[in-house]
Amino acid sequence: GGVGKSTLATEYAHRFHQEYQLVWWVRAEQTASVIEDLAKLAAVLTGRTDFDHADILTVLQSELAHCEPWLIIYDNAQGPAMLRDAWPDGGIGHVIVTSRADTWADLVNDTITVEVFSHDDAITLLQARTHDRDYLSSAEVADQLGRLPLALVQAAAYVTQTKTTLQHYSRLIEEQTGPMLATAPPSDYDSSVATTWSMSIAGASARARGARELLIFCSYLAPERIPRALVPEHAVHLPAPLSEIAADPVGYDFAVAALTQYSLLSADASHLSLHRLVQLTVRLSLPESEQLAWSATVVRVLSRAFPQTPRDPSVWATCAELTPHILTATAHSSQLRSMEPTGDLLVRAGAYHVARDFLGPAANLLQMALREFEQTEGADSLDVAAACGQLAPVLHKQARLSEALMVSQRAIRIKERLLGTNDPSLIDDLCRLGGNFQEMFRLEEAEDSYQRALTITENTYGVDDRRALPVLGFLTTLNARKGKLHTALTLAERQLQIDAAASGDPCDRATATVHSKLGTVHFLRGEYAIAKVHKSRSLDLYTALDGAESYEALRRRGALAEILVALGDTRQAIELANQAIHGLTRIHGGDHPDIATDLRVLGIALLADGHPEEALAPLEHSVAIYEKFYEKDHPYVAHPLVPLARTQLALGDAGAAAVSLARARRIIKKRYGTHHPEYADLLTAESAVSLAAGDQTMAKQLEQEATAIRDAARKS
């Protein structure tokens, strides 16, 4: 740290900017800041701010091709893992990464180790900046500071601002080194900067009241893009004298100016920034009691500054800007074992990331909140249960089903003990638990959870209350999964009646889900035109509510694509399936069962459109993803195996088709039985194989059996 990596990248951009159409800087210390800065780039390139920020990378890959050549700088990246999914590949350009890590060989072409200045360069810098030509004193200061560029710049700033000499500064270093290094610094901390900044801080403090306290406050935040208005807007919650100068616009500006004059801080009209080594030096200079007090102060200010309704798109810009500071401030709080509560703040930050479909950061924030509540409230508190309730659906979306199951069960146990077994707050947790059981194909346990949730709902709110809709929706899906299509349809129609009877026209997520469930059931019953109406309505509602690239809208797009295949509109189906796959890949960051579902649909659409050679890869990929996330005989593995067999048959590989069907038959008979619609689909595929082999009698028999199973399912 402080060797000049970021400065070198800045200088390169400055010298060669005319060779690029675009130069952009990305703060890469945290995932949140990477997302925020790439979102701003997408806004600049498109001239729009109305696109869904969850689609940032998609927009960039397209737009960068029109800005060739371009330069993107990722500054202070922790390692290649966090940048792999944010790596640009649109058009021709260059990427520069600055990092203290040296494990970049698999992502970048060239790595350069940045060393401290040579002896001569260190002297040249000091003399150029101070206009002090005393060679011996310059050399002495350079050696005292280990020729670290950042420390040399700070030393020169001190000499310039105090109108002293390098010889005088050298004597001060000798006098101050002992006290400044009395606190044992971390192993990767360059101690040469400690003395430098102690004198600069003293100089800035003498020049402007509150400057030292402002620097301390900023030292517990992320180092870059600190909102300049954060301190003035929350002056009443700050200790004196910072509260006093924060309430005085002139005094605050003078404090900022004093810190910038000593190169401790950089500032523009909107933001403040400082080097992380400045922050570390400041924190290490404080006694533990002051560290605790300032850490708590920063957390309290952020708690008041972070929006209370983080799912509201109108506050997302504020949430994005504050999230890196929340991560930093809560990390300091945890390290210091502060008693200042951070759980609620972390939950709100997690809720923002859930709303944006940033599932990885959301899970991390909610897990941090859970640990915080465990430490401050106890392992069996209602706050812990609430955090579990927030975390479980995120883990479920990530296909981390075992973890989601345990988290849901923990929330239920805590609430049952503290609130009783029939408390309404259990309803959502029971539905989440049932959802996990259902995905793990533990269908009877899923039904028990859903039925218990429905009983509590009806006993609490009545049988026709809209709050019953989500529970009825889960039961609809479960019965459809079990092949009880008449029961599923009855439940779905009951939801529609309850929703229609509600006062006004809610048209919220519950309404969108009702139409989605109806679309699914009608599709499974072979009523494709009706299915299209309901699934389209659901897609339109989710698009209006959350945006076209939101998780829920993307899922419905893929489901609608499968209906369109059945209706013969294969080209539109292919387009929708590709959109869903692309969007969900961005959200999940790679393979995921959600993507496998739409790869299967894409394969079916391509096959129906007369392109079996193109259908083969997505279907094989779908099988591979399901095998990766579930056991080898999970029912989901069988779903793409049947259309894969059809595709293999269309390509003339009857042997491979027979193998795929044999495997699908084993799974379906074991997990669904021989009276399930999935078994009917298998028989239809086997009928096609028999027909290709010239056995028309067997083909007809199999198709008749499949029809009988489907007819029975529609009545069950």
Side-chain angles (χ1 to χ4, degrees):
V3 77
K5 300 180 294 297
S6 300
T7 303
L8 279 173
T10 305
E11 183 64 20
Y12 176 89
H14 173 70
R15 290 192 187 186
F16 298 103
H17 71 92
Q18 292 182 337
E19 297 184 12
Y20 297 99
Q21 294 286 332
L22 165 76
V23 178
W24 199 258
W25 190 275
V26 178
R27 297 163 297 144
E29 190 166 0
Q30 297 170 334
T31 302
S33 59
V34 172
I35 292 171
E36 181 186 356
D37 289 352
L38 290 179
K40 290 178 180 176
L41 173 56
V44 168
L45 292 178
T46 61
R48 298 163 33 218
T49 58
D50 59 338
F51 61 83
D52 193 317
H53 281 188
D55 202 26
I56 294 165
L57 289 178
T58 304
V59 173
L60 288 181
Q61 307 299 15
S62 172
E63 294 295 327
L64 286 176
H66 305 298
C67 300
E68 300 173 345
W70 43 259
L71 169 66
I72 296 179
I73 299 170
Y74 291 99
D75 184 47
N76 197 41
Q78 301 302 300
M82 74 181 324
L83 292 188
R84 199 165 272 116
D85 294 333
W87 202 257
D89 61 6
I92 300 170
H94 290 155
V95 175
I96 294 177
V97 179
T98 73
S99 177
R100 298 176 75 174
D102 60 0
T103 55
W104 293 88
D106 62 333
L107 195 59
V108 303
N109 295 329
D110 301 294
T111 57
I112 301 170
T113 301
V114 183
E115 305 287 355
V116 297
F117 278 177
S118 67
H119 186 73
D120 289 342
D121 286 342
I123 292 172
T124 299
L125 183 145
L126 286 169
Q127 291 183 347
R129 293 208 172 205
T130 62
H131 304 293
D132 185 339
R133 302 303 176 186
D134 183 342
Y135 181 87
L136 292 177
S137 296
S138 300
E140 191 169 353
V141 170
D143 290 339
Q144 288 170 315
L145 298 179
R147 307 195 307 280
L148 185 72
L150 188 59
L152 296 170
V153 169
Q154 294 287 336
Y158 181 90
V159 170
T160 301
Q161 289 300 315
T162 58
K163 312 300 184 189
T164 54
T165 64
L166 289 168
Q167 183 181 42
H168 174 72
Y169 191 84
S170 178
R171 287 198 302 269
L172 288 176
I173 291 177
E174 293 178 357
E175 295 169 4
Q176 295 286 334
T177 298
M180 277 305 301
L181 299 184
T183 302
S187 59
D188 63 349
Y189 174 69
D190 197 301
S191 59
S192 61
V193 299
T195 301
T196 304
W197 284 322
S198 68
M199 292 181 287
S200 294
I201 293 167
S205 298
R207 181 160 295 197
R209 185 168 180 265
R212 173 181 176 272
E213 289 73 21
L214 175 58
L215 190 65
I216 294 173
F217 181 88
C218 292
S219 294
Y220 285 89
L221 296 167
E224 298 171 314
R225 294 189 63 80
I226 300 169
R228 186 163 179 157
L230 184 64
V231 170
E233 287 177 354
H234 300 278
V236 295
H237 304 297
L238 298 170
L242 184 56
S243 59
E244 297 162 8
I245 68 111
D248 173 16
V250 176
Y252 183 59
D253 288 343
F254 271 119
V256 171
L259 293 170
T260 59
Q261 288 168 355
Y262 279 85
S263 295
L264 293 164
L265 196 73
S266 60
D268 58 30
S270 303
H271 295 92
L272 309 175
S273 299
L274 64 166
H275 196 282
R276 58 195 55 82
L277 281 184
V278 176
Q279 293 178 307
L280 180 58
T281 300
V282 170
R283 295 195 302 270
L284 288 176
S285 70
L286 301 175
E288 185 175 349
S289 59
E290 282 194 54
Q291 292 185 40
L292 282 166
W294 279 105
S295 173
T297 294
V298 171
V299 168
R300 282 195 295 272
V301 167
L302 289 172
S303 292
R304 289 170 172 83
F306 197 84
Q308 294 292 326
T309 55
R311 292 180 178 273
D312 180 358
S314 67
V315 301
W316 283 356
T318 300
C319 293
E321 185 168 61
L322 292 179
T323 294
H325 303 297
I326 289 171
L327 290 169
T328 301
T330 54
H332 289 314
S333 180
S334 176
Q335 185 178 17
L336 292 167
R337 300 185 183 278
S338 170
M339 297 305 294
E340 186 68 27
T342 60
D344 177 67
L345 177 59
L346 289 165
V347 166
R348 277 183 281 147
Y352 157 70
H353 284 80
V354 171
R356 298 291 305 277
D357 293 326
F358 300 147
L359 301 183
N364 292 337
L365 285 159
L366 292 170
Q367 286 169 331
M368 291 167 61
L370 180 58
R371 289 192 293 270
E372 164 66 17
F373 285 134
E374 288 173 339
Q375 294 172 4
T376 58
E377 307 294 335
D380 292 325
S381 68
L382 286 176
D383 282 334
V384 167
C388 287
Q390 296 258 19
L391 177 60
V394 178
L395 295 173
H396 184 96
K397 282 185 177 181
Q398 292 182 301
R400 297 161 63 179
L401 299 181
S402 296
E403 296 174 72
L405 184 69
M406 290 188 292
V407 170
S408 294
Q409 289 173 325
R410 182 181 182 187
I412 291 169
R413 285 196 303 270
I414 294 172
K415 289 182 179 180
E416 286 178 335
R417 185 175 64 81
L418 296 177
L419 302 174
T421 57
N422 295 307
D423 190 85
S425 68
L426 286 165
I427 295 169
D428 288 342
D429 296 299
L430 287 167
C431 288
R432 296 184 192 107
L433 180 64
N436 287 315
F437 281 136
Q438 185 170 308
E439 285 296 289
M440 300 168 82
F441 219 71
R442 295 162 61 175
L443 301 186
E444 299 309 316
E445 292 168 282
E447 186 162 18
D448 289 343
S449 296
Y450 293 150
Q451 288 291 356
R452 183 181 169 195
L454 183 61
T455 299
I456 297 173
T457 302
E458 292 178 340
N459 288 341
T460 304
Y461 306 114
V463 295
D464 293 326
D465 192 279
R466 286 189 84 243
R467 281 168 283 195
L469 292 178
V471 191
L472 291 169
F474 285 117
L475 281 166
T476 300
T477 303
L478 177 66
N479 279 279
R481 180 71 52 82
K482 294 169 75 172
K484 297 181 177 181
L485 301 185
H486 178 71
T487 303
L489 181 61
T490 301
L491 287 165
E493 288 177 339
R494 179 184 169 190
Q495 295 171 67
L496 189 63
Q497 291 169 357
I498 293 173
D499 193 52
S503 58
D505 182 20
C507 290
D508 56 10
R509 286 172 182 78
T511 304
T513 303
V514 168
H515 286 284
S516 180
K517 302 297 183 186
L518 275 163
T520 298
V521 175
H522 282 295
F523 172 73
L524 293 173
R525 290 170 57 86
E527 298 155 353
Y528 303 131
I530 302 174
K532 179 184 176 183
V533 171
H534 286 294
K535 197 66 76 171
S536 298
R537 174 64 172 154
S538 177
L539 174 58
D540 290 343
L541 284 171
Y542 274 118
T543 299
L545 291 164
D546 299 333
E549 295 300 317
S550 66
Y551 175 81
E552 298 295 348
L554 290 166
R555 293 296 308 277
R556 272 65 189 182
R557 207 171 297 171
L560 178 59
E562 188 166 13
I563 296 171
L564 292 176
V565 174
L567 289 169
D569 190 354
T570 54
R571 299 312 301 168
Q572 178 69 7
I574 291 169
E575 182 179 346
L576 287 176
N578 275 317
Q579 290 172 3
I581 291 165
H582 185 79
L584 290 170
T585 300
R586 167 184 42 74
I587 287 174
H588 293 303
D591 287 347
H592 187 279
D594 289 344
I595 299 165
T597 300
D598 292 321
L599 284 168
R600 171 184 165 275
V601 173
L602 176 62
I604 293 172
L606 288 166
L607 179 62
D609 199 49
H611 300 285
E613 68 286 349
E614 296 179 32
L616 188 64
L619 289 168
E620 289 177 336
H621 191 189
S622 178
V623 173
I625 293 175
Y626 282 136
E627 289 176 337
K628 175 181 176 181
F629 281 87
Y630 303 112
E631 66 269 20
K632 297 291 185 180
D633 66 342
H634 191 283
Y636 285 174
V637 176
H639 293 175
L641 278 173
V642 174
L644 175 61
R646 290 174 176 273
T647 302
Q648 291 164 333
L649 185 63
L651 292 171
D653 194 346
V659 171
S660 295
L661 284 176
R663 184 181 176 195
R665 172 181 277 273
R666 286 195 300 271
I667 296 172
I668 291 171
K669 286 186 67 175
K670 176 182 177 182
R671 307 306 290 270
Y672 287 112
T674 58
H675 300 287
H676 193 281
E678 289 291 339
Y679 192 74
D681 290 343
L682 171 71
L683 293 176
T684 297
E686 290 180 339
S687 172
V689 173
S690 297
L691 190 62
D695 191 343
Q696 295 184 2
T697 302
M698 177 59 70
K700 183 178 181 180
Q701 179 181 333
L702 290 168
E703 192 56 56
Q704 289 174 340
E705 187 178 347
T707 300
I709 292 172
R710 293 190 182 100
D711 289 342
R714 279 194 288 269
K715 299 174 183 178
S716 64

